[in-house]
Amino acid sequence: MKENVSVLVVEDDVDINNLLCRILNKEGYSVRAAFSGSEANMCLEQYDFQLLLLDLMLPAISGEELISQIRKAKTMPIIVISAKLGQDAKIEALRLGADDFISKPFDVNEVIARVEAQLRRYMVFSAAKENQRILRYKELTLNPETVEVRIKDQPIVLTAREFAILELMMSHQSKVFTKANLFEHVWNEEFLGDDNTVNVHISNLRSKLSKVDPNTEYIRTIWGIGFKIGD
């Protein structure tokens, strides 16, 4: 829904700012106006925006400075609309982190088309980022997409079986896993009794985790039942 998409228009020319806000409002976007770089900074601190329309020649803080500041913390699309002509200005804006560049005078329909195109790309990127499921317990993180395990940003090298056991347990942190549960999920074979394989892998896992963080018990033994993550 466009009314849930917030756009910040940063332009010191009042007529141009009003025009951009009007056409975006007409298209159904939620729009806020800023008339200087410093005012834009205040808006960015107080509100969440999905897209920024930005002039380069602004009072207080230039558009180029604003792009550099924004890109330290935010990934939203930035479309520059500027009277600065020439390839150098465009290349510099894109190098700093702008996603698109429209020269003044601009066509209203082109602005809307560029806004829609950038928002489509941003929504796809955001959805992909949200789907990257990083599992966490205290200082321990496991990323199924990149097959990385870390404690306090220090990487832990695991075998494929160790990683599979840890991923399974971290995905269900309230569950106590019996040896049969772990064996059948990770080895995809029927558990036939008192096989020491699971114990050996759990022991190796604990050893690798405790070498990095000896003060935290990440894998607990529930006597007579099995194993679980943490508390």
Side-chain angles (χ1 to χ4, degrees):
M1 298 289 287
K2 286 183 178 179
E3 59 266 26
N4 295 325
V5 176
S6 295
V7 179
L8 178 62
V9 177
V10 188
E11 166 64 66
D12 64 324
D13 185 302
V14 175
D15 291 335
I16 294 175
N17 197 315
N18 288 341
L19 172 63
L20 290 169
C21 289
R22 189 164 62 250
I23 63 173
L24 289 166
N25 271 317
K26 188 177 178 181
E27 288 295 314
Y29 296 104
S30 173
V31 187
R32 185 172 291 273
F35 298 90
S36 69
S38 55
E39 186 181 358
N41 259 340
M42 287 190 292
C43 290
L44 289 163
E45 288 173 2
Q46 295 177 37
Y47 306 100
D48 289 325
F49 297 97
Q50 282 70 55
L51 185 135
L52 178 66
L53 283 179
L54 176 67
D55 185 22
L56 293 179
M57 293 183 284
L58 296 168
I61 301 172
S62 71
E64 289 91 344
E65 289 177 86
L66 202 57
I67 295 171
S68 295
Q69 291 176 19
I70 291 167
R71 281 296 175 247
K72 292 175 183 177
K74 298 179 184 292
T75 58
M76 65 180 179
I78 299 173
I79 300 177
V80 169
I81 301 182
S82 178
K84 280 190 175 181
L85 302 177
Q87 198 69 3
D88 289 346
K90 180 177 181 179
I91 290 171
E92 177 65 8
L94 295 173
R95 186 186 67 79
L96 290 170
D99 297 279
D100 204 350
F101 191 104
I102 301 172
S103 297
K104 295 177 181 177
F106 54 81
D107 179 83
V108 167
N109 292 322
E110 181 186 3
V111 172
I112 295 301
R114 299 282 188 100
V115 166
E116 290 175 350
Q118 289 299 328
L119 284 171
R120 278 196 301 272
R121 293 190 189 112
Y122 180 63
M123 297 306 178
V124 169
F125 170 78
S126 297
K129 194 172 181 181
E130 286 176 10
N131 287 334
Q132 190 179 51
R133 186 174 53 101
I134 297 177
L135 304 174
R136 304 178 190 276
Y137 174 72
K138 294 188 176 178
E139 300 293 338
L140 176 65
T141 61
L142 183 148
N143 189 328
E145 300 294 325
T146 60
V147 198
E148 291 179 309
V149 175
R150 294 177 178 272
I151 293 178
K152 300 177 182 176
D153 289 330
Q154 184 168 334
I156 313 293
V157 179
L158 302 180
T159 67
R161 300 284 197 205
E162 290 164 357
F163 184 91
I165 290 171
L166 189 60
E167 181 182 8
L168 178 63
M169 295 176 73
M170 289 186 71
S171 298
H172 307 277
Q173 293 184 22
S174 62
K175 180 178 173 61
V176 178
F177 288 90
T178 65
K179 285 195 288 185
N181 292 151
L182 293 171
F183 190 87
E184 289 169 5
H185 274 88
V186 174
W187 277 264
N188 291 313
E189 297 176 16
E190 184 182 358
F191 184 71
L192 298 176
D194 192 19
D195 189 326
N196 201 40
T197 303
V198 172
N199 287 340
V200 171
H201 281 77
I202 291 289
S203 177
N204 290 341
L205 253 177
R206 280 178 167 150
S207 176
K208 290 179 179 181
L209 298 176
S210 66
K211 280 183 181 178
V212 179
D213 186 2
N215 299 318
T216 304
E217 184 181 28
Y218 289 103
I219 300 175
R220 288 183 59 212
T221 297
I222 309 301
W223 296 107
I225 304 175
F227 311 96
K228 76 184 295 286
I229 285 290
D231 300 331

